Amino acid sequence: MPKDPDIAAHPHGPGHVAIIMDGNGRWAQARGRPRLFGHHAGARRVREVVEACPRLGIKYLTIFAFSTENWKRTQVEVAGLMSLFRRYIAKEMQAIAANNVRVRFIGDRVRLDKKLIALMDQLEQETGGNTGTQLTIALNYGGRDEVARATKRLAQDVADGRLRPEDVDEETLPKYLDTHVLPDPDLVIRTSGEARISNFLLWQSAYAEYEFIDTLWPDFTADELSRLCQSYGARDRRFGSVKA
Ligand code: FPP
C-alpha cells in the first residue's frame, strides 16, 4: 500500500507514463547481494506502481523490463531474469489482472523461450477485456528494432500492392509499430540517475516530457510517482508550437 492513501489524480497529470526501471543491480550491490536479488526487489515494486495508476489518473503505464541489448549480460543474469519473468507472469500478474488491468507485451518474441511466450499470450488473452489500467510490458524490446520490424512489414505491404509509397506518412508508420493501439507517452521516467533513453519508445516519445530521477528502481514508490505527475502538470507542453 502507498504511504499516502489520499493520493488523488492531478488535474493535468499524464495519461500515459512510461518507465525505464533502472538501478536494480546497484541496489543489490549496495547490500552485498547478487544482481538478481535486485531484480526480484524491482519486480515487487511493479505492483504498487500499477495499483497507484487509477488514483493518479494514469490510464496507460508502459514499463521497460528487458531490452534487445540486455542479452549482452552474463548468461546467469539473463537466465535469472527470464525465469523471474516466467514466475512473475504466472503468479504476481494474475493478482494485477484481477484488478481490471489489461496487460500487453511489446518487443520481439522470437528470442524468448516458448514457455514464456505461452504465459505472455495467456495473460494478454485473460486480461483482453479489462478496462482499467492498460499496462504494457516491454520485453526483448528495442526502439530501433521495433522501427526496423515495422518497416519490414510496411515494405511487404508495398511490395504486395496493399500500400502505395506516396501514401506513407507520419500517420502510416506508427500503425506498424508494436504500440499501434497505444497513445504516445506523455511522461517518461528513468530511475537511478542515468540521463539516457536507451532505445526505449524512440518514435513514440518524440514529444514526451522526461524525468530522470536518482532513486534506484527497487526504492521507487507510488508517492514519488505522484510527485512526478504533479510536476508534469505544471509543465508547458507546446509540441513545437508557441503559446496562444
Ligand atoms: C535495470 O537495472 C533493470 C533491468 C534490466 C530489469 C528490469 C526488470 C525488473 C524491474 C523486473 C521485473 C519486471 C517485470 C515486469 C516482471 P540494472 O540491472 O541495469 O541496474 P544497474 O544499472 O544498477 O546495474
Side-chain angles (χ1 to χ4, degrees), residues 21-27 35 39 42-43 46 63-65 70 73 77 81 84-85 88 137 217:
M21 307 178 288
D22 195 14
N24 296 345
R26 275 164 285 167
W27 186 90
R35 296 177 57 79
H39 293 315
V46 174
I63 56 176
F64 206 0
N70 286 151
R73 296 186 174 205
E77 184 168 353
L81 274 168
L84 182 157
F85 295 144
Y88 190 86
I137 302 175
W217 174 251

Side-chain angles (χ1 to χ4, degrees), residues 20-29 35 38-46 63-67 70 73 77 81 84-89 92-93 105 135-139 190-192 194 196 216-218:
I20 302 173
M21 307 178 288
D22 195 14
N24 296 345
R26 275 164 285 167
W27 186 90
Q29 211 169 11
R35 296 177 57 79
H39 293 315
H40 281 274
R44 283 196 294 276
R45 283 287 86 202
V46 174
I63 56 176
F64 206 0
F66 193 87
S67 79
N70 286 151
R73 296 186 174 205
E77 184 168 353
L81 274 168
L84 182 157
F85 295 144
R86 281 195 301 271
R87 287 223 317 254
Y88 190 86
I89 293 170
E92 179 85 353
M93 280 315 225
F105 292 92
L135 172 66
T136 302
I137 302 175
L139 225 170
R190 182 177 188 136
T191 58
S192 95
E194 313 284 358
R196 53 176 175 261
L216 302 176
W217 174 251

Side-chain angles (χ1 to χ4, degrees), residues 17 36 89 125 176 226 232:
V17 173
L36 276 166
I89 293 170
Q125 276 165 22
Y176 290 83
S226 174
Y232 167 92

Side-chain angles (χ1 to χ4, degrees), residues 41-190:
R44 283 196 294 276
R45 283 287 86 202
V46 174
R47 193 204 281 213
E48 177 181 320
V49 170
V50 174
E51 287 181 352
C53 286
R55 296 197 296 284
L56 296 173
I58 299 168
K59 181 74 183 174
Y60 296 87
L61 177 71
T62 301
I63 56 176
F64 206 0
F66 193 87
S67 79
T68 46
E69 288 72 35
N70 286 151
W71 298 103
K72 294 181 204 150
R73 296 186 174 205
T74 65
Q75 203 267 335
V76 169
E77 184 168 353
V78 169
L81 274 168
M82 292 300 151
S83 139
L84 182 157
F85 295 144
R86 281 195 301 271
R87 287 223 317 254
Y88 190 86
I89 293 170
K91 296 216 178 81
E92 179 85 353
M93 280 315 225
Q94 300 301 332
I96 286 180
N99 268 332
N100 199 24
V101 174
R102 179 170 183 170
V103 184
R104 295 182 178 88
F105 292 92
I106 56 171
D108 191 358
R109 296 186 183 195
V110 292
R111 262 185 97 171
L112 302 176
D113 80 52
K114 290 198 171 55
K115 236 166 140 185
L116 177 57
I117 297 172
L119 286 164
M120 291 158 67
D121 282 340
Q122 193 189 343
L123 189 59
E124 282 188 334
Q125 276 165 22
E126 274 175 16
T127 64
N130 289 354
T131 55
T133 305
Q134 306 287 296
L135 172 66
T136 302
I137 302 175
L139 225 170
N140 194 26
Y141 174 87
R144 288 181 173 179
D145 176 69
E146 179 191 32
V147 171
R149 285 186 288 105
T151 308
K152 205 181 286 181
R153 288 198 297 276
L154 186 150
Q156 191 61 56
D157 277 353
V158 170
D160 295 345
R162 285 189 292 271
L163 183 67
R164 297 186 310 173
E166 57 270 35
D167 290 336
V168 177
D169 58 17
E170 284 188 27
E171 309 294 316
T172 317
L173 189 83
K175 292 185 182 140
Y176 290 83
L177 295 174
D178 297 349
T179 51
H180 60 97
V181 295
L182 306 175
D184 286 343
D186 299 304
L187 174 65
V188 178
I189 299 168
R190 182 177 188 136

